[in-house]
Amino acid sequence: MLKKYKAFSLLFLILLVFHFIAVFFSVSILHISINICFLLILMVFFVTKTKLHGRFHKRLFTGLLFALAGSLLLLFTGRFLTLSFICNLLGYVFYTRAFYLDFRSAQELDKNNARIAIAFCTLFGMGLYVFLRPYLGIMKIPVMIYVFISCMMLMMAVFRNLRVNRESFILIFAGALLLLLSDSLLVINKFVATFPFAGVLITTIYMTAQYLIIIGGVERKLLNK
């Protein structure tokens, strides 16, 4: 994918370097601004390559819009933190709905991997929430919903197997898995204990995840109708 989309991938790597610099020097406004620029570039790239043809691409694009709205709200230094949280959550909902379209095209396929995905996401989601619960305070229900939606998104990404081309499946599955990892590290860092270079690690994983999902969306070819 790096070879196929050289200019886009190079731009992504440049933004990643600037992100490292912003976090290293603790310039939060620059950190947020880079994330906003990154999401805007993703949106332009996605529209240019797909023309938003079909419901799948429209839903992925809507998910990006909510991610952008969530990042924009963070510019107001915490005043709209809850709204930002809701926007990110809605972005994941639209990603999940996009992946569901591919699953629905041939629901009878790949039941074994589907069972593994359900078992893994259920155990991981429950385990993460049980671990976090004593530290959450009034955020118990919001975090529970967030974990549930993140796990559902990963499940639906797995359910795309054999229904779309291999490249798209692997890219989107890897992206959804990284988003779940990014969110898990974020809530652990926020509610349980901070760890060194958390900002760099979490945002790098998040940006890479979004990059993979959007490339996977561009490469998508439905195999079963």
Side-chain angles (χ1 to χ4, degrees):
M1 291 305 111
L2 285 174
K3 292 181 179 179
K4 189 171 182 179
Y5 304 107
K6 287 182 180 177
F8 177 64
S9 298
L10 179 61
L11 188 56
F12 166 69
L13 291 174
I14 291 171
L15 286 172
L16 214 52
V17 170
F18 277 109
H19 160 253
F20 290 151
I21 295 170
V23 174
F24 182 79
F25 289 103
S26 300
V27 186
S28 59
I29 188 71
L30 179 59
H31 174 200
I32 298 169
S33 299
I34 289 170
N35 192 44
I36 291 170
C37 289
F38 168 68
L39 291 170
L40 285 170
I41 291 166
L42 279 184
M43 291 167 69
V44 172
F45 172 79
F46 192 63
V47 171
T48 302
K49 293 296 183 180
T50 67
K51 312 300 181 187
L52 298 187
H53 177 71
R55 286 182 296 167
F56 179 89
H57 294 124
K58 289 183 175 68
R59 289 181 183 182
L60 270 192
F61 183 77
T62 305
L64 272 179
L65 275 177
F66 277 112
L68 177 62
S71 293
L72 286 169
L73 288 166
L74 289 177
L75 288 173
F76 297 94
T77 56
R79 289 171 57 191
F80 300 106
L81 196 59
T82 302
L83 281 176
S84 176
F85 174 88
I86 293 170
C87 284
N88 285 319
L89 185 63
L90 288 173
Y92 287 3
V93 169
F94 275 93
Y95 279 2
T96 304
R97 293 183 67 215
F99 304 158
Y100 174 72
L101 288 173
D102 290 344
F103 163 69
R104 200 176 65 178
S105 67
Q107 298 182 32
E108 71 283 356
L109 292 177
D110 200 27
K111 291 184 178 180
N112 287 334
N113 281 331
R115 293 189 187 99
I116 293 171
I118 292 169
F120 171 81
C121 290
T122 300
L123 291 173
F124 180 85
M126 290 178 63
L128 179 63
Y129 181 71
V130 169
F131 169 70
L132 292 170
R133 196 174 188 279
Y135 306 95
L136 296 177
I138 62 171
M139 292 297 290
K140 286 186 176 67
I141 293 178
V143 170
M144 180 177 66
I145 295 171
Y146 206 93
V147 170
F148 174 76
I149 295 296
S150 296
C151 289
M152 280 294 297
M153 179 177 60
L154 178 60
M155 281 171 51
M156 283 300 160
V158 175
F159 290 176
R160 298 174 71 246
N161 191 34
L162 302 183
R163 298 161 178 89
V164 296
N165 57 312
R166 193 68 179 166
E167 294 84 359
S168 177
F169 167 74
I170 291 173
L171 288 166
I172 286 181
F173 167 69
L177 187 61
L178 287 177
L179 277 183
L180 180 59
L181 174 60
S182 173
D183 290 340
S184 301
L185 292 174
L186 178 65
V187 292
I188 290 170
N189 183 66
K190 183 174 179 60
F191 295 107
V192 181
T194 58
F195 52 89
F197 305 108
V200 170
L201 182 61
I202 292 166
T203 310
T204 300
I205 294 172
Y206 173 81
M207 290 173 68
T208 304
Q210 293 284 17
Y211 167 83
L212 292 174
I213 287 172
I214 293 307
I215 294 289
V218 170
E219 287 293 306
R220 170 190 180 259
K221 293 179 180 65
L222 193 63
L223 301 181
N224 300 281
K225 296 184 180 180

